[in-house]
DNA sequence: ACCTGAACACCGTTCAAGT
DNA sequence: ACCTGAACACCGTTCAAGT
């Protein structure tokens, strides 16, 4: 009996939710580049054109996948400490996006923010406002959380698998990177095979920014004042 | 006379550099999605297979394009104030990536960092080291500059063209975003048509992080100490 | 030895013919 | 009215036939 026949016997009616869930699972398993309408249809034991009853086109499929993933992020906890609330939410988002490595790129490729992304950002802004940050400061803070300062933001140096010994030619050409790699190698605190402790690095950046935000809040920061005294 | 004939009369021999420069120009003009090997060959008045003499495949073409763009970033200035040096370099990188809106996505999609990206990161790390940051602190700082805290990093709310009045339904569903949008609209400091002052937002995040780094440097920060006293 | 047309194995999507 | 096979206009890349 072929696989096709086997699945046919237990055929579930197609709906948008099942299309999206299967697409997410397929992208998790095979990567986003291998996700095609035809391949997805095959996975659902359906003729390719059947998908177009539930999504207008592939862009709408990707919109739906982005929303499905963002919907997995925990809602914000409540509590008096806004830094703690925001911190927990951000770390939840990080866990979700580590589960779906293709998702960040898909979300960033949407031309307009999707509803779940808007909801996520909205409640994030709400957490800052509840913490006593002014609307103005919250605005800047939200931008700061979304910016990529180097211009691109590949989570740098994918040293998770430093296959083989460090390349001596690389060390000669890029001495500072070699030095940083050396500090990472010494520092085998919590990771298994050497390389960087990505979780630590993430929290380092997060806490630095959150502390910076809190400092500004305490000063009663307003953008007019900051702009006036801005560096030339 | 067809365009093809016209170009044929002044045919320049194909080489890798010309392939890459044309590919960058084509991506600038038509977007990265419209860049295909076939379309690029047509632009160069060449049969598609001719490209494969100069790049092994499309991935290598994208590698070369990424490197060409990163190579446009100004070298670091020298000077006693490391914050000023780093700030200037980052703003140069920002200008470059604004000129090539497709480039950030292409750089992030490379599976291994390309030589120009490594050189850029290496000299950036060098600027921190020259400024007196320890190798260990420099390591964390480099990660912080490359991290995307929200999980994704679409430069948020593309409010550059808020076509039409704010959507009242949106305001009802996403009250905090609506509030932020309102503060942006009032604050027409330097942008023309309303919306966010993206340059200000970028520098806000940059300066906040740089000030945070400097604070840690002054404290003689070491990761061992920070890890020991880390929040639970 | 070099170059290149045709071909292959894919895409996303349209459309007309089938039920 | 709904469903779907064939077709269209693309891809990146292989390969064999041409010079």
């Amino acid at each position: 009996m072929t696989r096709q026949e086997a699945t046919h016997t237990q055929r579930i009616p197609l709906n948008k939710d099942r299309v999206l869930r299967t697409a997410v699972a397929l992208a998790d398993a095979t990567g986003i580049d291998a996700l095609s309408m035809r391949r997805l249809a095959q996975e659902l034991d359906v003729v390719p054109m059947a998908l177009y009853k539930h999504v207008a086109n592939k862009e709408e499929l990707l919109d739906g996948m982005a929303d499905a993933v963002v919907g997995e992020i925990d809602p914000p906890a409540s509590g008096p400490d806004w830094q703690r609330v925001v911190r927990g939410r951000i770390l939840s988002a990080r866990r979700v996006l580590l589960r779906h490595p293709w998702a960040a790129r898909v979300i960033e490729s949407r031309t307009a923010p999707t509803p779940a992304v808007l909801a996520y950002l909205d409640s994030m802004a709400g957490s800052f406002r509840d913490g006593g940050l002014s609307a103005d400061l919250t605005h800047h803070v939200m931008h700061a959380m979304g910016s990529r300062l180097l211009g691109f933001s590949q989570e740098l140096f994918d040293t998770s698998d430093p296959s083989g010994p460090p390349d001596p030619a690389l060390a000669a050409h890029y001495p500072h990177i070699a030095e940083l790699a050396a500090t990472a190698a010494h520092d085998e605190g919590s990771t298994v095979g050497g390389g960087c402790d990505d979780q630590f690095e993430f929290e380092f950046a997060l806490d630095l920014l959150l502390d910076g935000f809190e400092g500004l809040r305490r000063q009663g920061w307003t953008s007019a004042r900051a702009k006036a005294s801005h560096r030339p």
Side-chain angles (χ1 to χ4, degrees), chain A:
Chain A
M1 184 159 74
T2 70
R3 197 174 134 286
Q4 180 131 1
E5 284 165 340
T7 324
H8 183 272
T9 61
Q10 48 171 17
R11 172 168 289 169
I12 320 162
L14 206 56
N15 57 45
K16 184 162 185 176
D17 200 68
R18 202 159 78 87
V19 169
L20 294 181
R21 285 207 326 273
T22 306
V24 167
L26 192 57
D28 289 346
T30 66
I32 194 71
D33 288 338
L35 180 85
S36 67
M37 298 297 277
R38 290 167 124 107
R39 178 77 183 73
L40 174 59
Q42 180 184 317
E43 193 73 14
L44 288 160
D45 260 316
V46 137
V47 84
M49 285 314 300
L51 297 176
Y52 287 81
K53 187 110 324 140
H54 303 97
V55 287
N57 48 39
K58 193 176 184 181
E59 285 301 293
E60 197 179 291
L61 175 74
L62 293 172
D63 283 347
M65 292 171 69
D67 261 19
V69 165
V70 173
E72 292 180 26
I73 300 172
D74 291 333
S78 60
D81 180 351
W82 72 262
Q83 290 196 68
R84 195 183 168 81
V85 171
V86 168
R87 192 172 199 279
R89 191 97 192 287
I90 293 283
L91 292 178
S92 170
R94 173 173 157 81
R95 285 191 300 272
V96 168
L97 285 142
L98 287 175
R99 282 205 296 270
H100 308 290
W102 49 270
R105 195 131 41 121
V106 167
I107 296 168
E108 290 173 9
S109 71
R110 303 303 82 207
T111 52
T114 54
V117 169
L118 282 171
Y120 171 59
L121 296 173
D122 190 74
S123 75
M124 185 71 70
S127 296
F128 285 115
R129 297 288 282 122
D130 290 347
L133 280 68
S134 68
D136 179 73
L137 180 55
T138 297
H139 181 186
H140 302 311
V141 152
M142 289 294 291
H143 275 281
M145 306 269 310
S147 68
R148 66 189 142 195
L149 292 181
L150 285 171
F152 47 89
S153 93
Q154 171 74 281
E155 231 66 74
L156 297 172
F157 318 113
D158 187 4
T159 51
S160 52
D161 173 30
S163 46
D167 187 344
L170 184 138
H173 278 281
Y174 310 110
H176 297 108
I177 289 180
E179 185 186 44
L180 303 195
T183 74
H186 290 159
D187 161 47
E188 308 225 9
S190 48
T191 35
V192 189
C196 305
D197 181 344
D198 288 332
Q199 186 68 25
F200 177 84
E201 304 301 347
F202 186 89
E203 296 186 16
F204 174 87
L206 176 58
D207 290 337
L208 206 52
L209 267 189
L210 293 182
D211 287 345
F213 299 160
E214 170 63 10
L216 293 177
R217 184 196 65 77
R218 259 192 302 242
Q219 293 168 39
W221 193 90
T222 71
S223 91
R225 187 137 52 90
K227 278 188 182 176
S229 71
H230 207 256
R231 315 174 189 204

